[in-house]
Amino acid sequence: MCVGGIASSLACCVSSSACSLCCAACPSCRNSTASRIAYGLVLVLATIVSLISMSSLVREEFAKIGPVCEQFASKSICEKHLGYFMVYRVMFAMCCFFVLMAILMIGVKNSKDKRAALQNGFWAVKALVIAAFGVGAFFIPEGDFDSVWMYFGLAGGFAFILLQLVFLIDFAYSWNEKWVAKMEEDGEVCGKWFTILLSATIFIFLVCITAVVLMFVYYGSDGCGLNKFFISTNLILCVVLSVISVLPKIQEANPSSGLLQSSVVSIYIMFLTWSAMTSSTKVGCNPQLSEILTGHENHSQEQDQSGASLDSASIVGIVVWVCLVMYSSVSTAGKVGVSAAPEEEGFVAMNDVGSAGNASDDEEGGGRKGQKVYDDEEEGVAYNYSLFHLVLTCASLYIMMCLTNWLDPKGQLAQFQRSHAAMWVKVSSAWICAALYGWTLVAPLVLTNRDFY
């Protein structure tokens, strides 16, 4: 693809007006889809900025700025803490922006509301607002800000972990439904798609079993009784959920349930269990993956180095976050009017500049159809704008905690301690995740007067 094509494709994801101006070669897009992807990309960009700010080169340069380091005991302590200092403030700025948007978007019912234009456009203005929040955040004095903001991060991170499970369950059900549909199209009891579905399910369960064994070996040593309790309890929960998902009564009430969804939820619960144990404050019971691979154990409860390097659990968490946020942005919008032509759903189609009104040109053989941007929200919004921005607020806090390894930064002393609270946030999230998935299995059986499909 040429550079111009790439640029126009990117513009299509940023706003509908840009799409109508320069996206003639792009596939058609909807306002609701493009806007959600754009906000997701904004948060990804903020994450990249935060990662860059944690690099030693950037920290060394910022440490040269007098007012920044005056609030620390020494320049070396300032340089050591600056990575977390900047991550907390970048994500504070993002939270302020998303909370502001959530307030402004309260009560928007359709795209005829003038505020809908602010949701789906004015990206240059919104970029300036984010920049203003970012600059202002850097003038927040150190004091107790980081310690207090960390607890906001724990609360927001906890909420987003639960939201991630909702996205994950939706993905698992959609995945299972598509493969079952293909399996039924084959018309064979043990055809190709049945084999693929069974193989994927077995593979994921094998990964879960391997994870359990490794966690018992490296995190369940003598003196780590709490870790053993976490691993054993969550293993039992995964087994129970898997058995429930294939019970005849559950299958009858909820035909879409199955072992594939249980395997996906199980591996997520195992990830949360592992992440919780890496946040343990007990020495010898919280090895990082790098320590396991290298055989070098860190017996300190503190992060001895700069405190600005990502641990393995945080890296996995960020990857999962990016995948699920992008999936939720595309899949939810994709369910709006996919089975009917845009005109049948009341969408507004706009041809690209220069071809508006030239429908006859498109109808001629070999004619190039103009790029279409669909306003799919004239009759009603495809998603709750305010709730969407509150979700992104929680996502910002979750990313902030991942980038700082869920550690408790002590600004004046530049000590980065593992947090007992973070451990319980993660492990309790795993239990709530199991309860939520269990409810999706039994709800159709309990609430017989409700339609869950």
Side-chain angles (χ1 to χ4, degrees):
M1 182 183 291
C2 63
V3 176
I6 297 175
S8 63
S9 297
L10 181 58
C12 182
C13 292
V14 173
S15 72
S16 58
S17 57
C19 193
S20 63
L21 287 173
C22 60
C23 286
C26 301
S28 299
C29 58
R30 298 178 175 88
N31 278 345
S32 60
T33 306
S35 296
R36 275 180 281 188
I37 293 175
Y39 283 112
L41 291 176
V42 167
L43 192 49
V44 170
L45 180 61
T47 303
I48 294 173
V49 171
S50 298
L51 283 169
I52 294 174
S53 70
M54 294 171 68
S55 66
S56 58
L57 178 61
V58 172
R59 285 186 286 113
E60 289 173 3
E61 292 301 319
F62 264 87
K64 297 176 182 178
I65 302 176
V68 174
C69 283
E70 286 176 357
Q71 52 194 313
F72 294 94
S74 67
K75 185 177 180 180
S76 60
I77 291 179
C78 171
E79 182 180 331
K80 185 178 180 181
H81 183 73
L82 268 180
Y84 283 10
F85 178 93
M86 290 187 282
V87 169
Y88 271 46
R89 280 148 184 79
V90 168
M91 290 306 167
F92 176 79
M94 295 305 302
C95 287
C96 289
F97 169 72
F98 288 129
V99 169
L100 175 62
M101 288 296 296
I103 295 172
L104 293 176
M105 293 299 113
I106 292 176
V108 176
K109 301 298 183 182
N110 52 53
S111 60
K112 297 174 184 177
D113 191 314
K114 293 182 179 179
R115 290 176 294 166
L118 178 61
Q119 170 74 8
N120 299 317
F122 296 98
W123 291 98
V125 175
K126 286 185 277 195
L128 291 176
V129 171
I130 294 173
F133 278 130
V135 172
F138 275 83
F139 285 93
I140 299 174
E142 177 60 31
D144 295 325
F145 173 77
D146 284 6
S147 297
V148 173
W149 189 237
M150 182 202 71
Y151 286 100
F152 280 90
L154 288 174
F158 173 76
F160 192 74
I161 287 174
L162 301 183
L163 289 170
Q164 278 194 142
L165 178 76
V166 175
F167 300 151
L168 194 69
I169 291 176
D170 178 72
F171 165 74
Y173 273 102
S174 299
W175 183 12
N176 184 71
E177 288 172 3
K178 289 179 181 179
W179 281 16
V180 168
K182 291 182 180 293
M183 184 176 66
E184 292 175 349
E185 288 176 6
D186 282 350
E188 299 179 16
V189 178
C190 297
K192 177 182 69 175
W193 285 103
F194 173 82
T195 303
I196 294 175
L197 180 64
L198 181 62
S199 299
T201 303
I202 292 175
F203 174 76
I204 297 174
F205 273 126
L206 286 176
V207 173
C208 290
I209 294 171
T210 303
V212 169
V213 173
L214 292 176
M215 285 190 291
F216 268 118
V217 171
Y218 292 103
Y219 296 88
S221 57
D222 293 339
C224 302
L226 189 58
N227 284 357
K228 293 178 181 178
F229 170 75
F230 290 157
I231 300 169
S232 302
T233 301
N234 292 350
L235 173 60
I236 293 172
L237 286 175
C238 292
V239 172
V240 170
L241 290 173
S242 300
V243 172
I244 291 175
S245 69
V246 294
L247 291 176
K249 287 188 177 181
I250 297 296
Q251 288 281 309
E252 181 181 350
N254 185 5
S256 59
S257 67
L259 288 176
L260 179 62
Q261 297 95 309
S262 298
S263 67
V264 173
V265 172
S266 296
I267 200 169
Y268 186 62
I269 290 175
M270 286 302 131
F271 161 69
L272 291 176
T273 306
W274 169 53
S275 184
M277 292 186 297
T278 61
S279 296
S280 173
T281 57
K282 191 166 186 178
V283 177
C285 298
N286 54 9
Q288 303 299 313
L289 185 60
S290 59
E291 298 171 20
I292 294 173
L293 295 176
T294 60
H296 177 267
E297 297 184 4
N298 180 11
H299 294 288
S300 174
Q301 293 185 16
E302 300 176 6
Q303 190 84 358
D304 294 330
Q305 303 302 318
S306 66
S309 58
L310 287 175
D311 64 20
S312 49
S314 296
I315 293 173
V316 175
I318 291 174
V319 171
V320 172
W321 167 79
V322 171
C323 294
L324 290 179
V325 166
M326 290 297 104
Y327 165 77
S328 64
S329 297
V330 176
S331 65
T332 306
K335 296 176 183 176
V336 180
V338 294
S339 60
E343 291 75 15
E344 296 173 346
E345 290 295 318
F347 295 156
V348 177
M350 298 182 294
N351 287 336
D352 62 312
V353 174
S355 62
N358 291 335
S360 59
D361 294 339
D362 294 338
E363 293 173 358
E364 296 177 0
R368 177 182 61 83
K369 291 187 177 180
Q371 164 65 25
K372 290 177 177 151
V373 181
Y374 304 134
D375 180 4
D376 58 333
E377 299 181 307
E378 277 200 324
E379 300 301 322
V381 294
Y383 59 100
N384 186 302
Y385 290 172
S386 293
L387 182 59
F388 172 74
H389 288 294
L390 291 178
V391 169
L392 289 183
T393 302
C394 293
S396 302
L397 292 170
Y398 174 78
I399 286 298
M400 180 185 80
M401 297 308 295
C402 284
L403 291 176
T404 56
N405 297 330
W406 297 79
L407 300 179
D408 183 5
K410 304 297 183 184
Q412 300 300 320
L413 301 177
Q415 296 174 348
F416 304 95
Q417 299 176 342
R418 291 174 180 173
S419 171
H420 196 67
M423 179 190 71
W424 283 107
V425 162
K426 294 175 184 178
V427 76
S428 60
S429 297
W431 295 337
I432 296 176
C433 286
L436 286 175
Y437 175 62
W439 175 246
T440 67
L441 295 174
V442 302
L445 189 64
V446 177
L447 304 176
T448 56
N449 59 334
R450 294 281 300 274
D451 183 10
F452 291 90
Y453 307 104

